[in-house]
């Protein structure tokens, strides 16, 4: 059984966020359209990281984290939004974000290659997020029929890297954790979290771009990927747990079949 993360693993979330916020700022106009676009994209990305994790931690509800992101972003332009204005602002941004939804180019070829190499393989998703929102993404990009089960933190009340979410997914499939693989773009949340729960953790470090603190290196399963060494406490734990590191999803079939 191979389980996948959704955002920034299969689904090109960061690209859609960047394209969506710039399109939205152009549509809103005024001060929003005349500022530094690189800085605006970076700020919007940072606010998503901050407030979405507040939602995952339970300190904000799903609508509240969206409202907080809009209000904090507007405040950086010296524009104060009421709660109602922030809700409308985010809803309008969301249409631009939604129009930019797509899969990473290597997503479907990876699933097809795994199905060919491992005819009995079963696929599932574990994603931190609201089940309705994540379900809409899955449907829009054509993944609905690709996965036997989708497990969301919003439906369970606990999120990755909590071992319970990985254990729950394996129980839903009726598969021991030792026979499951989990693939995700975040070292701690995805790969280390899964490996600590007993699964084979695979860290998708696209072009060495995934963030990780400093320490010892996690070798790539294929030297030709040319990935730089990654260091830090998480990396030390990942190496201890046998986490695999790949640079693209095209490397996943090789990484799994060469073990």
């Amino acid at each position: 059984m191979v389980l996948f993360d959704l955002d920034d693993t299969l689904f090109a979330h960061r690209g859609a966020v960047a394209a969506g916020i710039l399109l939205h700022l152009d549509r809103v106009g005024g001060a929003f359209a005349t500022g530094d676009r690189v800085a605006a994209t970076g700020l919007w990305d940072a606010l998503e990281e901050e407030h979405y994790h507040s939602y995952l931690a339970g300190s904000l509800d799903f609508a509240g984290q969206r409202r907080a992101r809009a209000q904090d972003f507007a405040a950086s332009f010296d524009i104060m939004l009421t709660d109602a204005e922030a809700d409308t602002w985010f809803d309008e941004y969301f249409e631009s974000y939604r129009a930019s939804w797509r899969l990473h180019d290597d997503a479907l070829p990876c699933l097809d290659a795994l199905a060919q190499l491992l005819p009995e393989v079963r696929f599932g998703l574990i994603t931190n997020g609201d089940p309705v929102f994540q379900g809409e993404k899955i449907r829009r990009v054509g993944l609905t029929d690709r996965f036997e089960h989708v497990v969301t933190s919003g439906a369970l009340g606990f999120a990755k890297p909590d071992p319970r979410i990985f254990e729950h997914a394996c129980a839903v499939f009726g598969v021991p954790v030792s026979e499951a693989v989990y693939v995700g773009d975040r070292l701690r949340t995805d790969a280390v979290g899964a490996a600590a729960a007993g699964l084979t953790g695979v860290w998708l470090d696209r072009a060495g771009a995934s963030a990780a603190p400093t320490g010892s290196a996690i070798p790539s399963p294929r030297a030709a990927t040319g990935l730089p060494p990654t260091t830090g406490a998480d990396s030390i734990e990942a190496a201890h747990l046998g986490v695999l590191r790949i640079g693209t999803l095209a490397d996943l079939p090789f990484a799994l079949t060469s073990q």
Side-chain angles (χ1 to χ4, degrees), residues 3 25 148 163:
L3 303 167
L25 297 183
E148 194 172 330

Side-chain angles (χ1 to χ4, degrees), residues 219-234:
S220 167
R222 190 183 290 183
T225 60
L227 294 176
T230 301
T231 56
D234 286 346

